[in-house]
Amino acid sequence: FNGKGHYPSDGAAPAVTRKRVARLNPNGSLDTTFNPSIDGGTLPQVNALALQPNGKIVVGGRFATVQPGGTGAVVARNHLARFNADGTLDTAYNPNANALVSALLLQPDGKIVVGGNFARFAPNGATTATARSYIARLNTDGTLDSFDPGANGTPSVITVLSDGKVLLGGSFTYFTPNAGTVSTPRAYSARLNADGTVDTAW
């Protein structure tokens, strides 16, 4: 599963290669039709998955390429990719983060909160990158929305509350929302308002 293959425990069947993402049938057998094949970069890995209601799957981690089916064209995808339910690449979705993604959280409105070591995104072929430090929120088409908490460290756990506020846990110690000049200390856990500002009451 680390790129060398999937090995059944009883040794009865030959190894089947699956690079970093696989899907199992209800009985635990491998779904042989699903093979996003994620690779590329230094020590590629997958850290987070988000399953959308339409069956599409957003994958985040440290990688530079995907090769759906394992035999077709290699396609550049930096740290984030979205696959259709059959494992083929959603070619219209390309947030293009510049560094590792460690956490994903799907909101009820379809947007996705992303945590990681990144500092910027250049979505869907954009020629100019947009700054986002360690946390960002993606629209359903993979572009960035205005949510910009300005963390100084990586969120590893994210959850969204029913009122739209966002709870975070991670290695951060302060936030500077919306590229401002005033920072709010928050050591390792925080609650953000839906607009990305810090909930100072928490």
Side-chain angles (χ1 to χ4, degrees):
F1 196 68
N2 63 0
K4 296 180 180 179
H6 166 80
Y7 295 89
S9 59
D10 61 6
V16 179
T17 298
R18 285 294 182 272
K19 292 184 175 180
R20 296 167 192 90
V21 172
R23 186 166 64 194
L24 304 181
N25 296 311
N27 66 358
S29 63
L30 183 68
D31 180 349
T32 58
T33 68
F34 184 86
N35 184 13
S37 192
I38 293 170
D39 207 0
T42 303
L43 299 175
Q45 63 190 54
V46 167
N47 299 320
L49 302 171
L51 178 61
Q52 298 182 311
N54 62 2
K56 293 187 177 185
I57 303 160
V58 179
V59 178
R62 179 171 56 209
F63 52 85
T65 64
V66 300
Q67 189 183 21
T71 58
V74 175
V75 181
R77 281 295 182 274
N78 291 316
H79 312 291
L80 281 162
R82 185 165 69 186
F83 297 93
N84 299 308
D86 62 359
T88 58
L89 181 66
D90 181 349
T91 57
Y93 187 92
N94 185 14
N96 196 20
N98 77 316
L100 175 146
V101 168
S102 57
L104 296 172
L105 192 284
L106 178 66
Q107 295 189 164
D109 62 1
K111 294 184 178 183
I112 293 179
V113 182
V114 182
N117 293 349
F118 48 79
R120 59 189 178 274
F121 290 75
N124 301 335
T127 56
T128 302
T130 301
R132 286 292 186 275
S133 297
Y134 299 104
I135 184 168
R137 188 165 59 199
L138 303 176
N139 296 310
T140 56
D141 62 357
T143 58
L144 290 166
D145 83 350
S146 59
F147 183 84
D148 184 13
N152 75 325
T154 305
S156 53
V157 180
I158 304 171
T159 190
V160 176
L161 305 177
S162 58
D163 60 1
K165 293 185 178 183
V166 179
L167 283 175
L168 303 171
S171 62
F172 51 81
T173 56
Y174 64 83
F175 292 82
T176 310
N178 302 317
T181 58
V182 178
S183 298
T184 302
R186 284 295 181 274
Y188 313 119
S189 64
R191 186 167 67 186
L192 306 178
N193 297 311
D195 64 358
T197 58
V198 177
D199 182 351
T200 57
W202 196 84

